[in-house]
Amino acid sequence: MILLDIITKSIWAGIAAIGFAILFNVPRRTIFAIWGMGAIGGLIKFSAIHFELGIVFGSFLGATIIGIISIQMAHLRKSPPLVFSIPSVIPMVPGFFAYKMMLGLIALTAIENTDAYLQTLIETVNNGAKMMFILISLGTGVAIPMLLSRKESIKKSKFNKGKKVVV
Amino acid sequence: MKILKEDAQSVGNILLEIGALLMSSGASTNRTRLTMERTAKGLGYGIELLITQRALMLTIIEKDQQHFFSRLKRISPHGVNFRIVSGISHLSWNVMEQNWTVTQISEELQRLKTLPHYPRLVVLGTVGLAGSAFCNIFGGGSIEMVVAFIATVAGLFVRQEAIKKKFNPYLCVFFASLAASLIAGLAEHYHIGLQPDKAFATSVLFLVPGVPLINSVTDLMDGNIQNGIVRAMNGLMIAFSIAMGLFAVKMILNF
């Protein structure tokens, strides 16, 4: 039952990725790949949360896998990796925490009661910290394959060895 | 050493155009720099670059070290367009491997600029589906998903119209956030669905500044600290505009 729930959520995460892909006007040949990558990223993130690895580490794992697949896809579908990786990780961007933090900051300007103030402050800092660390983990996760291969372009990386490149 | 077929001035202008297009279409600073350097190398020139969020500065030095060409170009923000990023990536490799000329490059740039966007209805529909997908992920039921769909479509429509009327970009986001959360908030107000707060929370997620924030981290990792901070600030301003829209709706509905 939990497995089914995770899989359904992942498929919807893929659909969210497609929404952003269309908004960013990606080439048509990349859309199906973006759906799959968004779903795989979601699957990893939701499983990680289910196994209590935490949302930050879960996002990091998901983004890393997306980063690795995006390099393979860049060869198969002839587009730079960021065209695949950015729409696929955007469903994981902590928009929810970002605006919770913003709402908290706005609320802090109006609260007089000390206890309520402290409570809101704690929640705001918590949401802000989560947002920052999830963002950093997404950005580094996507960049990891390039950081590890230490090449300037994927066309020179060893993922590419033995593959015929037609541009 | 390659024989220089083009003069430094036309090469400089075409390189600046490529860089400005890349930066405004959502490429990271490092990608912009690499693409421009690769293209310049393909044409037989070495370049020095300064890339900021709103302007590019380029100096071309000819191999004899006698002549150089310098120019600034303003970058006008257009909104993310990955078709252009993808097209320019192909273009730079063509220059490198098939020795394209400046004329060929400028023809290809013209073609890329006129490439069509997806039809407006398709964009509205898929982004609406993305909104209901977010609602599902955060645990909303089918009624909330329909509410999130309608709210997202309305919000995106308002944003597109506001962009057409050339409002300030943050104001466009504010209007969109206001429209989307007003619809979801009304559904919450009249108790439509089991967990109407989920639809309210997810109706504005399509506005999330994903590209500025992810590019910001990428830039920071690459050592382009200044651009990274500028992008992060831009992302936070967008998040703030979204929050202001939500806040306004909460004020209206609690009144």
Side-chain angles (χ1 to χ4, degrees):
Chain A
M1 206 48 216
I2 291 162
L3 187 70
L4 192 72
D5 191 47
I6 289 177
I7 290 174
T8 340
K9 276 186 179 176
S10 314
I11 290 171
W12 280 105
I15 292 173
I18 289 188
F20 280 100
I22 302 267
L23 194 63
F24 299 151
N25 201 25
V26 298
R28 195 161 292 167
R29 60 184 182 275
T30 62
I31 286 179
F32 187 72
I34 289 171
W35 175 76
M37 289 165 65
I40 290 171
L43 191 67
I44 293 164
K45 181 187 152 185
F46 297 130
S47 316
I49 291 171
H50 175 67
F51 290 116
E52 291 174 354
L53 292 172
I55 187 167
V56 176
F57 191 64
S59 307
F60 178 73
L61 277 184
T64 310
I65 302 291
I66 285 178
I68 292 169
I69 303 175
S70 74
I71 285 189
Q72 297 298 324
M73 279 299 162
H75 292 299
L76 288 174
R77 296 274 184 276
K78 310 274 174 280
S79 279
L82 97 157
V83 171
F84 300 94
S85 54
I86 289 188
S88 323
V89 297
I90 277 186
M92 291 197 245
V93 166
F96 192 74
F97 295 119
Y99 83 62
K100 277 264 184 177
M101 181 194 74
M102 282 295 177
L103 283 183
L105 285 178
I106 295 167
L108 283 180
T109 60
I111 297 174
E112 305 275 322
N113 180 340
T114 316
D115 283 342
Y117 193 91
L118 270 181
Q119 188 59 37
T120 321
L121 187 67
I122 291 168
E123 279 169 17
T124 308
V125 172
N126 182 21
N127 285 326
K130 268 186 192 156
M131 180 202 76
M132 259 185 55
F133 279 97
I134 295 174
L135 264 181
I136 294 171
S137 62
L138 288 183
T140 36
V142 166
I144 268 187
M146 295 304 283
L147 293 174
L148 291 183
S149 68
R150 285 172 295 157
K151 291 291 185 319
E152 291 194 332
S153 162
I154 54 146
K155 284 199 40 150
K156 291 176 192 158
S157 74
K158 64 180 164 197
F159 292 103
N160 197 19
K161 231 175 221 171
K163 281 183 193 152
K164 208 176 100 193
V165 178
V166 188
V167 179
Chain B
M1 187 176 151
K2 281 190 178 173
I3 301 158
L4 302 179
K5 282 178 288 186
E6 322 281 352
D7 63 310
Q9 189 164 350
S10 56
V11 170
N13 287 335
I14 207 88
L15 285 177
L16 282 170
E17 199 177 343
I18 288 176
L21 262 179
L22 273 181
M23 283 299 279
S24 63
S25 308
S28 69
T29 307
N30 204 36
R31 164 167 287 275
T32 309
R33 178 184 300 275
L34 286 176
T35 310
M36 287 174 80
E37 278 173 357
R38 189 188 300 143
T39 316
K41 204 174 157 198
L43 293 165
Y45 285 91
I47 58 172
E48 294 295 332
L49 265 174
L50 173 67
I51 302 175
T52 69
Q53 190 70 14
R54 300 301 288 269
L56 282 172
M57 196 162 150
L58 169 89
T59 298
I60 291 192
I61 305 156
E62 286 186 20
K63 291 256 168 73
D64 59 6
Q65 300 285 324
Q66 296 283 326
H67 302 89
F68 68 92
F69 169 79
S70 245
R71 216 191 123 191
L72 264 172
K73 187 177 168 69
R74 216 176 86 97
I75 300 168
S76 45
H78 285 301
V80 183
N81 189 341
F82 281 163
R83 224 172 260 203
I84 287 185
V85 176
S86 179
I88 288 182
S89 164
H90 287 195
L91 183 150
S92 70
W93 286 107
N94 280 339
V95 175
M96 194 76 173
E97 287 163 358
Q98 297 173 16
N99 296 317
W100 275 26
T101 60
V102 168
T103 335
Q104 272 174 306
I105 298 174
S106 77
E107 273 166 16
E108 176 69 7
L109 281 182
Q110 278 310 316
R111 192 187 69 85
L112 287 176
K113 275 194 226 163
T114 51
L115 275 185
H117 280 249
Y118 288 98
R120 195 172 181 187
L121 277 179
V122 174
V123 175
L124 285 172
T126 44
V127 176
L129 271 180
S132 45
F134 278 127
C135 191
N136 183 293
I137 291 169
F138 282 98
S142 44
I143 300 173
E144 289 86 41
M145 281 166 71
V146 173
V147 171
F149 180 87
I150 296 169
T152 305
V153 169
L156 186 62
F157 181 79
V158 167
R159 187 183 186 191
Q160 289 172 337
E161 289 300 313
I163 289 173
K164 262 189 211 163
K165 299 238 171 8
K166 296 204 167 38
F167 276 104
N168 175 299
Y170 302 115
L171 214 53
C172 294
V173 173
F174 171 74
F175 290 149
S177 161
L178 192 72
S181 55
L182 187 64
I183 290 178
L186 281 176
E188 190 179 9
H189 197 66
Y190 293 109
H191 303 288
I192 300 169
L194 294 171
Q195 300 157 297
D197 56 316
K198 301 266 159 126
F200 186 74
T202 52
S203 61
V204 291
L205 284 189
F206 72 101
L207 291 165
V208 162
V211 174
L213 290 179
I214 291 176
N215 269 339
S216 150
V217 179
T218 316
D219 276 2
L220 290 173
M221 292 283 296
D222 290 334
N224 298 308
I225 308 278
Q226 233 175 9
N227 279 0
I229 292 172
V230 171
R231 286 189 209 259
M233 203 62 224
N234 179 30
L236 277 183
M237 288 279 285
I238 294 174
F240 186 70
S241 317
I242 300 172
M244 287 312 274
L246 284 174
F247 192 62
V249 168
K250 278 201 167 161
M251 295 270 276
I252 293 168
L253 291 179
N254 285 337
F255 194 55

